Amino acid sequence: MSTASTVSTTPTTPAGTSTVELLTGEEWFAVCELAALTPGRGVAALLPDGTQVALFLDRAGRPYAIGNQDPFTGAQVLARGLLGSADGRPFVASPLLKQRFDLESGRCLDDDEVTVATYEVREVREGREVREVRAA
């Protein structure tokens, strides 16, 4: 099982580094430096409205963000889950009951009636968007 860590939500961005930003409402919110994310592991972050998100970086370097709350248990643990892929789609498996959640759509792969929130994520370097991963 991977260990999640918490990242500071007030990043300082030296020149040449990339920042991960999430779309919250109608504004982009800088969460952390891309270098703070480890491929294959999750981190939890707290948004200004008190919502917890789970951030992931897949092995190809693409960032994803979903709600951190496991809808089956209510626990804020999805950042501690294991990453994998099914039919070419990235997912995280809850560390508690092992349900898998698609990182792009938030859909539970084991129960079609359950979803978690997803967030649009972008990578910004020196004030310019480098890459955006849209939630489905």
Side-chain angles (χ1 to χ4, degrees):
M1 178 176 358
S2 64
T3 351
S5 58
T6 303
V7 294
S8 168
T9 55
T10 5
T12 52
T13 309
T17 63
S18 293
T19 302
V20 175
E21 296 184 353
L22 303 182
L23 187 60
T24 59
E26 295 184 18
E27 296 187 15
W28 289 97
F29 177 71
V31 177
C32 65
E33 290 182 16
L34 186 64
L37 302 177
T38 302
R41 293 193 173 199
V43 295
L46 189 62
L47 297 180
D49 68 358
T51 302
Q52 286 190 34
V53 296
L55 293 168
F56 300 96
L57 190 65
D58 70 11
R59 303 235 183 249
R62 289 181 302 257
Y64 297 93
I66 63 172
N68 195 34
Q69 185 173 21
D70 180 332
F72 291 94
T73 65
Q76 301 280 354
V77 296
L78 292 181
R80 294 176 168 263
L82 298 173
L83 292 184
S85 66
D87 298 324
R89 300 202 44 111
F91 71 80
V92 62
S94 171
L96 298 178
L97 300 176
K98 309 304 183 230
Q99 284 90 353
R100 299 167 301 152
F101 297 93
D102 186 302
L103 292 177
E104 294 175 344
S105 70
R107 184 177 63 84
C108 179
L109 302 178
D110 305 299
D111 185 336
D112 287 336
E113 296 181 18
V114 179
T115 61
V116 294
T118 57
Y119 296 84
E120 290 185 41
V121 181
R122 71 179 181 183
E123 178 185 340
V124 175
R125 185 177 304 134
E126 296 176 3
R128 291 194 314 263
E129 183 178 311
V130 176
R131 171 181 19 202
E132 184 171 347
V133 178
R134 294 206 169 264

